[in-house]
Amino acid sequence: MERLIPVKNESDIFPAYRKAPIESLLAYQNLEAPHAAHDKAALLIGMCMDNRKHLRIPENFAFIIRAGGGNLRYSEFKISYAIAVGGVSTIALLAHTNCGMVNLMAKREQFIAGLVGQAGWDREWAEAHFMHFAPMFEIGNEVDFVLSEAKRLRLRYPKLLVAPLLYRTEDGHLCQLREGTL
C-alpha cells in the first residue's frame, strides 16, 4: 500500500482534513486555490528550515515554526502558545524530500569543517558541538519521522487535528501520508 497520497483535485483530500484548515492548505499549495482573507491564524505549520520550500498561503493563514527536519521536540512552548493564545486547533507537520537532517552523521566532517572555516570555530569545539546535538536532530527517514512526530503531538495535544504531510521539493506539492501498518 502506497503511503504517499498526492492531491491533484479536491476529491483527493482525506475526509478527515475536509472542512478543516488542512483542506485549505492543500488547496492553496497544490490546487492553486485563490487566497481567502484571514484575520487570524487558522493553523500551526511545523516545517524544516530548508530554503527549498515555499508555501503558497495567504497572509495571516498560519503560525509557522521552522526547525531542522521539522523536528518540533524542542518547540513545545511555541506550539502551546499558538494553541492557547493563538487559538489554533490544527497542526500541519511538513517533512520534505531530500532532507539534510536524514543521515546527519554522514555529514559530520562537512559540518565540522564548515564551522571551522565559515564561523572561525576551534575544531575540537566544532566536533563536540556536532556530537552533542546531531543525535537530537537526526531524523532518519523523512516519512517515518513525520508520522512519529504526529503521533507524539496527538498524545500531547489530544483535542487537535495533527496532519503529517510530505513536501516534495521536486515540484513544491504536498502529499498526504497514509498512516498505519503496510
Side-chain angles (χ1 to χ4, degrees), residues 140-174:
N141 172 284
E142 299 98 331
V143 172
D144 291 340
F145 175 78
V146 76
L147 290 171
S148 69
E149 186 69 350
K151 183 178 180 179
R152 183 185 74 78
L153 289 173
R154 286 179 187 133
L155 291 171
R156 187 83 166 140
Y157 304 101
K159 289 186 174 183
L160 271 62
L161 171 63
V162 180
L165 303 169
L166 182 76
Y167 182 100
R168 292 176 35 86
T169 56
E170 300 83 358
D171 61 15
H173 285 177
L174 294 171

PDB file of all heavy atoms in Angstrom, residues 140-174:
ATOM      1  N   GLY A 140      16.388  10.301  10.659  1.00  0.00           N
ATOM      2  CA  GLY A 140      16.212   9.028   9.965  1.00  0.00           C
ATOM      3  C   GLY A 140      15.451   9.264   8.668  1.00  0.00           C
ATOM      4  O   GLY A 140      15.727  10.201   7.941  1.00  0.00           O
ATOM      5  N   ASN A 141      14.455   8.466   8.404  1.00  0.00           N
ATOM      6  CA  ASN A 141      13.624   8.591   7.205  1.00  0.00           C
ATOM      7  C   ASN A 141      12.584   9.709   7.386  1.00  0.00           C
ATOM      8  O   ASN A 141      11.919   9.777   8.420  1.00  0.00           O
ATOM      9  CB  ASN A 141      12.945   7.238   6.970  1.00  0.00           C
ATOM     10  CG  ASN A 141      11.919   7.274   5.887  1.00  0.00           C
ATOM     11  OD1 ASN A 141      10.810   7.773   6.090  1.00  0.00           O
ATOM     12  ND2 ASN A 141      12.273   6.751   4.734  1.00  0.00           N
ATOM     13  N   GLU A 142      12.421  10.559   6.386  1.00  0.00           N
ATOM     14  CA  GLU A 142      11.513  11.710   6.481  1.00  0.00           C
ATOM     15  C   GLU A 142      10.075  11.294   6.796  1.00  0.00           C
ATOM     16  O   GLU A 142       9.431  11.882   7.682  1.00  0.00           O
ATOM     17  CB  GLU A 142      11.479  12.513   5.164  1.00  0.00           C
ATOM     18  CG  GLU A 142      12.793  13.093   4.735  1.00  0.00           C
ATOM     19  CD  GLU A 142      13.533  12.271   3.701  1.00  0.00           C
ATOM     20  OE1 GLU A 142      13.362  11.037   3.668  1.00  0.00           O
ATOM     21  OE2 GLU A 142      14.311  12.859   2.924  1.00  0.00           O
ATOM     22  N   VAL A 143       9.567  10.322   6.068  1.00  0.00           N
ATOM     23  CA  VAL A 143       8.169   9.908   6.248  1.00  0.00           C
ATOM     24  C   VAL A 143       7.965   9.275   7.614  1.00  0.00           C
ATOM     25  O   VAL A 143       7.023   9.628   8.339  1.00  0.00           O
ATOM     26  CB  VAL A 143       7.717   8.971   5.112  1.00  0.00           C
ATOM     27  CG1 VAL A 143       6.341   8.374   5.400  1.00  0.00           C
ATOM     28  CG2 VAL A 143       7.696   9.727   3.787  1.00  0.00           C
ATOM     29  N   ASP A 144       8.840   8.356   7.980  1.00  0.00           N
ATOM     30  CA  ASP A 144       8.708   7.713   9.291  1.00  0.00           C
ATOM     31  C   ASP A 144       8.805   8.744  10.413  1.00  0.00           C
ATOM     32  O   ASP A 144       8.072   8.666  11.402  1.00  0.00           O
ATOM     33  CB  ASP A 144       9.779   6.641   9.482  1.00  0.00           C
ATOM     34  CG  ASP A 144       9.570   5.441   8.581  1.00  0.00           C
ATOM     35  OD1 ASP A 144       8.440   5.234   8.087  1.00  0.00           O
ATOM     36  OD2 ASP A 144      10.555   4.708   8.342  1.00  0.00           O
ATOM     37  N   PHE A 145       9.713   9.725  10.256  1.00  0.00           N
ATOM     38  CA  PHE A 145       9.858  10.726  11.303  1.00  0.00           C
ATOM     39  C   PHE A 145       8.593  11.557  11.457  1.00  0.00           C
ATOM     40  O   PHE A 145       8.111  11.767  12.564  1.00  0.00           O
ATOM     41  CB  PHE A 145      11.051  11.657  11.048  1.00  0.00           C
ATOM     42  CG  PHE A 145      11.110  12.752  12.072  1.00  0.00           C
ATOM     43  CD1 PHE A 145      11.596  12.495  13.335  1.00  0.00           C
ATOM     44  CD2 PHE A 145      10.608  14.017  11.803  1.00  0.00           C
ATOM     45  CE1 PHE A 145      11.609  13.485  14.313  1.00  0.00           C
ATOM     46  CE2 PHE A 145      10.615  15.003  12.762  1.00  0.00           C
ATOM     47  CZ  PHE A 145      11.112  14.741  14.021  1.00  0.00           C
ATOM     48  N   VAL A 146       8.037  12.067  10.351  1.00  0.00           N
ATOM     49  CA  VAL A 146       6.873  12.948  10.468  1.00  0.00           C
ATOM     50  C   VAL A 146       5.656  12.184  10.989  1.00  0.00           C
ATOM     51  O   VAL A 146       4.836  12.735  11.730  1.00  0.00           O
ATOM     52  CB  VAL A 146       6.580  13.707   9.151  1.00  0.00           C
ATOM     53  CG1 VAL A 146       5.917  12.828   8.106  1.00  0.00           C
ATOM     54  CG2 VAL A 146       5.763  14.958   9.404  1.00  0.00           C
ATOM     55  N   LEU A 147       5.552  10.906  10.659  1.00  0.00           N
ATOM     56  CA  LEU A 147       4.462  10.094  11.208  1.00  0.00           C
ATOM     57  C   LEU A 147       4.625   9.908  12.709  1.00  0.00           C
ATOM     58  O   LEU A 147       3.647  10.002  13.463  1.00  0.00           O
ATOM     59  CB  LEU A 147       4.384   8.744  10.498  1.00  0.00           C
ATOM     60  CG  LEU A 147       3.901   8.784   9.047  1.00  0.00           C
ATOM     61  CD1 LEU A 147       4.072   7.415   8.391  1.00  0.00           C
ATOM     62  CD2 LEU A 147       2.464   9.256   8.954  1.00  0.00           C
ATOM     63  N   SER A 148       5.854   9.671  13.161  1.00  0.00           N
ATOM     64  CA  SER A 148       6.073   9.500  14.601  1.00  0.00           C
ATOM     65  C   SER A 148       5.897  10.819  15.345  1.00  0.00           C
ATOM     66  O   SER A 148       5.376  10.844  16.461  1.00  0.00           O
ATOM     67  CB  SER A 148       7.447   8.889  14.886  1.00  0.00           C
ATOM     68  OG  SER A 148       8.485   9.791  14.579  1.00  0.00           O
ATOM     69  N   GLU A 149       6.286  11.916  14.728  1.00  0.00           N
ATOM     70  CA  GLU A 149       6.107  13.233  15.353  1.00  0.00           C
ATOM     71  C   GLU A 149       4.620  13.572  15.455  1.00  0.00           C
ATOM     72  O   GLU A 149       4.172  14.134  16.458  1.00  0.00           O
ATOM     73  CB  GLU A 149       6.875  14.298  14.559  1.00  0.00           C
ATOM     74  CG  GLU A 149       6.888  15.664  15.173  1.00  0.00           C
ATOM     75  CD  GLU A 149       7.692  15.806  16.468  1.00  0.00           C
ATOM     76  OE1 GLU A 149       8.127  14.810  17.066  1.00  0.00           O
ATOM     77  OE2 GLU A 149       7.853  16.951  16.908  1.00  0.00           O
ATOM     78  N   ALA A 150       3.840  13.217  14.447  1.00  0.00           N
ATOM     79  CA  ALA A 150       2.392  13.432  14.508  1.00  0.00           C
ATOM     80  C   ALA A 150       1.777  12.632  15.656  1.00  0.00           C
ATOM     81  O   ALA A 150       0.950  13.153  16.415  1.00  0.00           O
ATOM     82  CB  ALA A 150       1.741  13.052  13.180  1.00  0.00           C
ATOM     83  N   LYS A 151       2.201  11.399  15.793  1.00  0.00           N
ATOM     84  CA  LYS A 151       1.699  10.556  16.886  1.00  0.00           C
ATOM     85  C   LYS A 151       2.046  11.158  18.245  1.00  0.00           C
ATOM     86  O   LYS A 151       1.206  11.229  19.146  1.00  0.00           O
ATOM     87  CB  LYS A 151       2.271   9.146  16.760  1.00  0.00           C
ATOM     88  CG  LYS A 151       1.768   8.180  17.792  1.00  0.00           C
ATOM     89  CD  LYS A 151       2.330   6.786  17.581  1.00  0.00           C
ATOM     90  CE  LYS A 151       1.817   5.836  18.629  1.00  0.00           C
ATOM     91  NZ  LYS A 151       2.339   4.477  18.416  1.00  0.00           N
ATOM     92  N   ARG A 152       3.287  11.628  18.371  1.00  0.00           N
ATOM     93  CA  ARG A 152       3.721  12.236  19.638  1.00  0.00           C
ATOM     94  C   ARG A 152       2.895  13.471  19.969  1.00  0.00           C
ATOM     95  O   ARG A 152       2.437  13.647  21.097  1.00  0.00           O
ATOM     96  CB  ARG A 152       5.210  12.608  19.550  1.00  0.00           C
ATOM     97  CG  ARG A 152       5.788  13.174  20.842  1.00  0.00           C
ATOM     98  CD  ARG A 152       7.215  13.643  20.652  1.00  0.00           C
ATOM     99  NE  ARG A 152       7.299  14.876  19.900  1.00  0.00           N
ATOM    100  CZ  ARG A 152       7.053  16.102  20.405  1.00  0.00           C
ATOM    101  NH1 ARG A 152       6.695  16.236  21.662  1.00  0.00           N
ATOM    102  NH2 ARG A 152       7.169  17.170  19.656  1.00  0.00           N
ATOM    103  N   LEU A 153       2.671  14.321  18.975  1.00  0.00           N
ATOM    104  CA  LEU A 153       1.915  15.550  19.221  1.00  0.00           C
ATOM    105  C   LEU A 153       0.434  15.272  19.480  1.00  0.00           C
ATOM    106  O   LEU A 153      -0.205  15.999  20.242  1.00  0.00           O
ATOM    107  CB  LEU A 153       2.096  16.533  18.068  1.00  0.00           C
ATOM    108  CG  LEU A 153       3.494  17.157  18.004  1.00  0.00           C
ATOM    109  CD1 LEU A 153       3.656  17.987  16.744  1.00  0.00           C
ATOM    110  CD2 LEU A 153       3.785  17.995  19.240  1.00  0.00           C
ATOM    111  N   ARG A 154      -0.108  14.236  18.880  1.00  0.00           N
ATOM    112  CA  ARG A 154      -1.506  13.868  19.166  1.00  0.00           C
ATOM    113  C   ARG A 154      -1.664  13.436  20.621  1.00  0.00           C
ATOM    114  O   ARG A 154      -2.692  13.693  21.246  1.00  0.00           O
ATOM    115  CB  ARG A 154      -1.957  12.748  18.238  1.00  0.00           C
ATOM    116  CG  ARG A 154      -2.203  13.205  16.831  1.00  0.00           C
ATOM    117  CD  ARG A 154      -2.636  12.031  15.957  1.00  0.00           C
ATOM    118  NE  ARG A 154      -2.710  12.442  14.582  1.00  0.00           N
ATOM    119  CZ  ARG A 154      -2.198  11.768  13.567  1.00  0.00           C
ATOM    120  NH1 ARG A 154      -1.570  10.612  13.777  1.00  0.00           N
ATOM    121  NH2 ARG A 154      -2.316  12.218  12.338  1.00  0.00           N
ATOM    122  N   LEU A 155      -0.655  12.747  21.145  1.00  0.00           N
ATOM    123  CA  LEU A 155      -0.703  12.353  22.553  1.00  0.00           C
ATOM    124  C   LEU A 155      -0.577  13.570  23.468  1.00  0.00           C
ATOM    125  O   LEU A 155      -1.214  13.646  24.510  1.00  0.00           O
ATOM    126  CB  LEU A 155       0.408  11.344  22.861  1.00  0.00           C
ATOM    127  CG  LEU A 155       0.237   9.962  22.229  1.00  0.00           C
ATOM    128  CD1 LEU A 155       1.500   9.127  22.417  1.00  0.00           C
ATOM    129  CD2 LEU A 155      -0.981   9.248  22.787  1.00  0.00           C
ATOM    130  N   ARG A 156       0.234  14.514  23.068  1.00  0.00           N
ATOM    131  CA  ARG A 156       0.467  15.724  23.863  1.00  0.00           C
ATOM    132  C   ARG A 156      -0.714  16.686  23.803  1.00  0.00           C
ATOM    133  O   ARG A 156      -1.035  17.350  24.784  1.00  0.00           O
ATOM    134  CB  ARG A 156       1.737  16.414  23.338  1.00  0.00           C
ATOM    135  CG  ARG A 156       2.202  17.563  24.143  1.00  0.00           C
ATOM    136  CD  ARG A 156       3.018  17.076  25.303  1.00  0.00           C
ATOM    137  NE  ARG A 156       3.721  18.174  25.891  1.00  0.00           N
ATOM    138  CZ  ARG A 156       3.856  18.321  27.201  1.00  0.00           C
ATOM    139  NH1 ARG A 156       3.368  17.427  28.018  1.00  0.00           N
ATOM    140  NH2 ARG A 156       4.514  19.336  27.677  1.00  0.00           N
ATOM    141  N   TYR A 157      -1.365  16.780  22.633  1.00  0.00           N
ATOM    142  CA  TYR A 157      -2.472  17.713  22.405  1.00  0.00           C
ATOM    143  C   TYR A 157      -3.648  16.926  21.819  1.00  0.00           C
ATOM    144  O   TYR A 157      -3.942  17.028  20.622  1.00  0.00           O
ATOM    145  CB  TYR A 157      -2.046  18.834  21.449  1.00  0.00           C
ATOM    146  CG  TYR A 157      -0.819  19.595  21.909  1.00  0.00           C
ATOM    147  CD1 TYR A 157       0.431  19.328  21.362  1.00  0.00           C
ATOM    148  CD2 TYR A 157      -0.913  20.580  22.887  1.00  0.00           C
ATOM    149  CE1 TYR A 157       1.562  20.032  21.782  1.00  0.00           C
ATOM    150  CE2 TYR A 157       0.207  21.278  23.315  1.00  0.00           C
ATOM    151  CZ  TYR A 157       1.440  20.994  22.759  1.00  0.00           C
ATOM    152  OH  TYR A 157       2.555  21.690  23.172  1.00  0.00           O
ATOM    153  N   PRO A 158      -4.335  16.138  22.641  1.00  0.00           N
ATOM    154  CA  PRO A 158      -5.323  15.192  22.121  1.00  0.00           C
ATOM    155  C   PRO A 158      -6.544  15.799  21.430  1.00  0.00           C
ATOM    156  O   PRO A 158      -7.206  15.109  20.650  1.00  0.00           O
ATOM    157  CB  PRO A 158      -5.739  14.377  23.352  1.00  0.00           C
ATOM    158  CG  PRO A 158      -5.330  15.186  24.520  1.00  0.00           C
ATOM    159  CD  PRO A 158      -4.167  16.021  24.088  1.00  0.00           C
ATOM    160  N   LYS A 159      -6.862  17.057  21.659  1.00  0.00           N
ATOM    161  CA  LYS A 159      -8.032  17.665  21.015  1.00  0.00           C
ATOM    162  C   LYS A 159      -7.715  18.241  19.632  1.00  0.00           C
ATOM    163  O   LYS A 159      -8.623  18.671  18.929  1.00  0.00           O
ATOM    164  CB  LYS A 159      -8.623  18.768  21.888  1.00  0.00           C
ATOM    165  CG  LYS A 159      -9.319  18.267  23.133  1.00  0.00           C
ATOM    166  CD  LYS A 159     -10.003  19.419  23.848  1.00  0.00           C
ATOM    167  CE  LYS A 159     -10.814  18.929  25.015  1.00  0.00           C
ATOM    168  NZ  LYS A 159     -11.525  20.051  25.657  1.00  0.00           N
ATOM    169  N   LEU A 160      -6.449  18.250  19.243  1.00  0.00           N
ATOM    170  CA  LEU A 160      -6.066  18.871  17.978  1.00  0.00           C
ATOM    171  C   LEU A 160      -6.031  17.877  16.822  1.00  0.00           C
ATOM    172  O   LEU A 160      -5.719  16.705  17.016  1.00  0.00           O
ATOM    173  CB  LEU A 160      -4.679  19.516  18.099  1.00  0.00           C
ATOM    174  CG  LEU A 160      -4.674  20.974  18.579  1.00  0.00           C
ATOM    175  CD1 LEU A 160      -5.245  21.126  19.956  1.00  0.00           C
ATOM    176  CD2 LEU A 160      -3.305  21.546  18.475  1.00  0.00           C
ATOM    177  N   LEU A 161      -6.320  18.386  15.632  1.00  0.00           N
ATOM    178  CA  LEU A 161      -6.095  17.638  14.401  1.00  0.00           C
ATOM    179  C   LEU A 161      -4.628  17.840  14.042  1.00  0.00           C
ATOM    180  O   LEU A 161      -4.175  18.990  13.900  1.00  0.00           O
ATOM    181  CB  LEU A 161      -6.997  18.167  13.277  1.00  0.00           C
ATOM    182  CG  LEU A 161      -6.718  17.616  11.877  1.00  0.00           C
ATOM    183  CD1 LEU A 161      -6.943  16.109  11.826  1.00  0.00           C
ATOM    184  CD2 LEU A 161      -7.589  18.334  10.851  1.00  0.00           C
ATOM    185  N   VAL A 162      -3.878  16.763  13.929  1.00  0.00           N
ATOM    186  CA  VAL A 162      -2.468  16.820  13.558  1.00  0.00           C
ATOM    187  C   VAL A 162      -2.311  16.045  12.251  1.00  0.00           C
ATOM    188  O   VAL A 162      -2.594  14.849  12.197  1.00  0.00           O
ATOM    189  CB  VAL A 162      -1.557  16.229  14.649  1.00  0.00           C
ATOM    190  CG1 VAL A 162      -0.097  16.301  14.224  1.00  0.00           C
ATOM    191  CG2 VAL A 162      -1.764  16.950  15.982  1.00  0.00           C
ATOM    192  N   ALA A 163      -1.879  16.748  11.205  1.00  0.00           N
ATOM    193  CA  ALA A 163      -1.786  16.159   9.869  1.00  0.00           C
ATOM    194  C   ALA A 163      -0.337  16.063   9.413  1.00  0.00           C
ATOM    195  O   ALA A 163       0.300  17.084   9.170  1.00  0.00           O
ATOM    196  CB  ALA A 163      -2.581  16.998   8.878  1.00  0.00           C
ATOM    197  N   PRO A 164       0.204  14.849   9.294  1.00  0.00           N
ATOM    198  CA  PRO A 164       1.546  14.686   8.736  1.00  0.00           C
ATOM    199  C   PRO A 164       1.480  14.755   7.211  1.00  0.00           C
ATOM    200  O   PRO A 164       0.661  14.080   6.586  1.00  0.00           O
ATOM    201  CB  PRO A 164       1.958  13.299   9.222  1.00  0.00           C
ATOM    202  CG  PRO A 164       0.671  12.553   9.368  1.00  0.00           C
ATOM    203  CD  PRO A 164      -0.371  13.584   9.738  1.00  0.00           C
ATOM    204  N   LEU A 165       2.335  15.583   6.626  1.00  0.00           N
ATOM    205  CA  LEU A 165       2.361  15.767   5.173  1.00  0.00           C
ATOM    206  C   LEU A 165       3.801  15.718   4.690  1.00  0.00           C
ATOM    207  O   LEU A 165       4.730  15.940   5.468  1.00  0.00           O
ATOM    208  CB  LEU A 165       1.739  17.119   4.797  1.00  0.00           C
ATOM    209  CG  LEU A 165       0.304  17.369   5.268  1.00  0.00           C
ATOM    210  CD1 LEU A 165      -0.078  18.831   5.071  1.00  0.00           C
ATOM    211  CD2 LEU A 165      -0.671  16.456   4.540  1.00  0.00           C
ATOM    212  N   LEU A 166       3.982  15.455   3.410  1.00  0.00           N
ATOM    213  CA  LEU A 166       5.316  15.453   2.816  1.00  0.00           C
ATOM    214  C   LEU A 166       5.355  16.495   1.703  1.00  0.00           C
ATOM    215  O   LEU A 166       4.546  16.449   0.777  1.00  0.00           O
ATOM    216  CB  LEU A 166       5.682  14.080   2.238  1.00  0.00           C
ATOM    217  CG  LEU A 166       7.088  14.015   1.641  1.00  0.00           C
ATOM    218  CD1 LEU A 166       8.132  13.951   2.757  1.00  0.00           C
ATOM    219  CD2 LEU A 166       7.236  12.817   0.724  1.00  0.00           C
ATOM    220  N   TYR A 167       6.296  17.430   1.824  1.00  0.00           N
ATOM    221  CA  TYR A 167       6.523  18.449   0.796  1.00  0.00           C
ATOM    222  C   TYR A 167       7.519  17.873  -0.193  1.00  0.00           C
ATOM    223  O   TYR A 167       8.618  17.464   0.179  1.00  0.00           O
ATOM    224  CB  TYR A 167       7.085  19.714   1.444  1.00  0.00           C
ATOM    225  CG  TYR A 167       7.327  20.854   0.495  1.00  0.00           C
ATOM    226  CD1 TYR A 167       6.412  21.892   0.397  1.00  0.00           C
ATOM    227  CD2 TYR A 167       8.470  20.909  -0.288  1.00  0.00           C
ATOM    228  CE1 TYR A 167       6.638  22.962  -0.470  1.00  0.00           C
ATOM    229  CE2 TYR A 167       8.710  21.958  -1.160  1.00  0.00           C
ATOM    230  CZ  TYR A 167       7.787  22.989  -1.240  1.00  0.00           C
ATOM    231  OH  TYR A 167       8.016  24.033  -2.098  1.00  0.00           O
ATOM    232  N   ARG A 168       7.133  17.837  -1.451  1.00  0.00           N
ATOM    233  CA  ARG A 168       8.030  17.331  -2.495  1.00  0.00           C
ATOM    234  C   ARG A 168       8.854  18.502  -3.035  1.00  0.00           C
ATOM    235  O   ARG A 168       8.296  19.374  -3.711  1.00  0.00           O
ATOM    236  CB  ARG A 168       7.219  16.670  -3.611  1.00  0.00           C
ATOM    237  CG  ARG A 168       6.522  15.381  -3.178  1.00  0.00           C
ATOM    238  CD  ARG A 168       5.644  14.781  -4.273  1.00  0.00           C
ATOM    239  NE  ARG A 168       6.190  14.984  -5.594  1.00  0.00           N
ATOM    240  CZ  ARG A 168       7.087  14.176  -6.196  1.00  0.00           C
ATOM    241  NH1 ARG A 168       7.516  13.107  -5.563  1.00  0.00           N
ATOM    242  NH2 ARG A 168       7.527  14.444  -7.402  1.00  0.00           N
ATOM    243  N   THR A 169      10.135  18.512  -2.726  1.00  0.00           N
ATOM    244  CA  THR A 169      10.984  19.605  -3.214  1.00  0.00           C
ATOM    245  C   THR A 169      11.070  19.582  -4.737  1.00  0.00           C
ATOM    246  O   THR A 169      11.367  20.606  -5.349  1.00  0.00           O
ATOM    247  CB  THR A 169      12.403  19.535  -2.605  1.00  0.00           C
ATOM    248  OG1 THR A 169      12.982  18.260  -2.894  1.00  0.00           O
ATOM    249  CG2 THR A 169      12.370  19.763  -1.105  1.00  0.00           C
ATOM    250  N   GLU A 170      10.775  18.441  -5.346  1.00  0.00           N
ATOM    251  CA  GLU A 170      10.849  18.314  -6.798  1.00  0.00           C
ATOM    252  C   GLU A 170       9.803  19.174  -7.511  1.00  0.00           C
ATOM    253  O   GLU A 170      10.056  19.684  -8.594  1.00  0.00           O
ATOM    254  CB  GLU A 170      10.645  16.842  -7.222  1.00  0.00           C
ATOM    255  CG  GLU A 170      11.676  15.884  -6.652  1.00  0.00           C
ATOM    256  CD  GLU A 170      11.378  15.405  -5.223  1.00  0.00           C
ATOM    257  OE1 GLU A 170      10.379  15.835  -4.609  1.00  0.00           O
ATOM    258  OE2 GLU A 170      12.158  14.593  -4.724  1.00  0.00           O
ATOM    259  N   ASP A 171       8.618  19.315  -6.917  1.00  0.00           N
ATOM    260  CA  ASP A 171       7.550  20.072  -7.584  1.00  0.00           C
ATOM    261  C   ASP A 171       6.810  21.052  -6.678  1.00  0.00           C
ATOM    262  O   ASP A 171       5.902  21.750  -7.127  1.00  0.00           O
ATOM    263  CB  ASP A 171       6.543  19.126  -8.255  1.00  0.00           C
ATOM    264  CG  ASP A 171       5.850  18.188  -7.273  1.00  0.00           C
ATOM    265  OD1 ASP A 171       5.902  18.412  -6.049  1.00  0.00           O
ATOM    266  OD2 ASP A 171       5.228  17.217  -7.745  1.00  0.00           O
ATOM    267  N   GLY A 172       7.174  21.127  -5.414  1.00  0.00           N
ATOM    268  CA  GLY A 172       6.537  22.061  -4.494  1.00  0.00           C
ATOM    269  C   GLY A 172       5.154  21.645  -4.029  1.00  0.00           C
ATOM    270  O   GLY A 172       4.442  22.434  -3.413  1.00  0.00           O
ATOM    271  N   HIS A 173       4.758  20.405  -4.280  1.00  0.00           N
ATOM    272  CA  HIS A 173       3.444  19.932  -3.873  1.00  0.00           C
ATOM    273  C   HIS A 173       3.510  19.179  -2.555  1.00  0.00           C
ATOM    274  O   HIS A 173       4.547  18.608  -2.198  1.00  0.00           O
ATOM    275  CB  HIS A 173       2.840  19.026  -4.942  1.00  0.00           C
ATOM    276  CG  HIS A 173       2.333  19.781  -6.123  1.00  0.00           C
ATOM    277  ND1 HIS A 173       1.803  19.159  -7.222  1.00  0.00           N
ATOM    278  CD2 HIS A 173       2.265  21.109  -6.387  1.00  0.00           C
ATOM    279  CE1 HIS A 173       1.429  20.060  -8.108  1.00  0.00           C
ATOM    280  NE2 HIS A 173       1.720  21.255  -7.632  1.00  0.00           N
ATOM    281  N   LEU A 174       2.391  19.176  -1.864  1.00  0.00           N
ATOM    282  CA  LEU A 174       2.256  18.428  -0.623  1.00  0.00           C
ATOM    283  C   LEU A 174       1.554  17.102  -0.910  1.00  0.00           C
ATOM    284  O   LEU A 174       0.596  17.060  -1.678  1.00  0.00           O
ATOM    285  CB  LEU A 174       1.424  19.212   0.392  1.00  0.00           C
ATOM    286  CG  LEU A 174       2.032  20.510   0.905  1.00  0.00           C
ATOM    287  CD1 LEU A 174       1.011  21.297   1.722  1.00  0.00           C
ATOM    288  CD2 LEU A 174       3.272  20.228   1.747  1.00  0.00           C
TER     289      LEU A 174
END
